Amino acid sequence: MKKLTLFAAALAVVTMTSCKKDYECNCDGTYTVDFGNGMTQTEDMGAESWTIESVKEDEAEEKCNDYETQFKNSFAMVGLVGDVDFDVDCSVREK
């Protein structure tokens, strides 16, 4: 009985600590500006990555979605010259 209790306690510790991991959020994309006069221009936004430390996978995905919004907002000034359409792909992977 003592061994079973010790095993259950060890398993609980391993389970609780293994849920939180470090992840990396990678975003890449383009934006297209419609100048309203029949002309459009598409530009590469470049790639960005962020480290998300000690979280569960679903939390990492939520934070990565926030980074996607931040990534788009960093190009907000482009909207001053025309309508902007973003094509951004962000992904989460374990580090």
Side-chain angles (χ1 to χ4, degrees):
M1 182 68 171
K2 196 174 191 181
K3 288 181 183 180
L4 182 60
T5 303
L6 184 60
F7 176 74
L11 183 61
V13 168
V14 169
T15 302
M16 288 173 37
T17 58
S18 66
C19 292
K20 293 190 175 188
K21 299 176 181 173
D22 292 347
Y23 293 89
E24 186 172 80
C25 174
N26 297 298
C27 293
D28 194 10
T30 60
Y31 64 87
T32 302
V33 180
D34 182 348
F35 295 102
N37 57 3
M39 293 180 58
T40 61
Q41 182 175 349
T42 300
E43 294 290 332
D44 185 16
M45 297 170 70
E48 284 282 335
S49 64
W50 297 270
T51 299
I52 304 168
E53 296 178 337
S54 189
V55 295
K56 294 180 181 178
E57 186 174 7
D58 60 335
E59 293 172 295
E61 289 173 3
E62 285 179 33
K63 287 184 183 241
C64 192
N65 287 337
D66 292 341
Y67 286 131
E68 180 176 344
T69 300
Q70 177 183 332
F71 187 59
K72 289 178 183 178
N73 288 343
S74 67
F75 290 87
M77 294 297 287
V78 175
L80 295 175
V81 295
D83 293 329
V84 181
D85 181 40
F86 291 98
D87 182 15
V88 176
D89 180 38
C90 292
S91 61
V92 175
R93 69 176 180 88
E94 190 177 325
K95 276 192 107 174

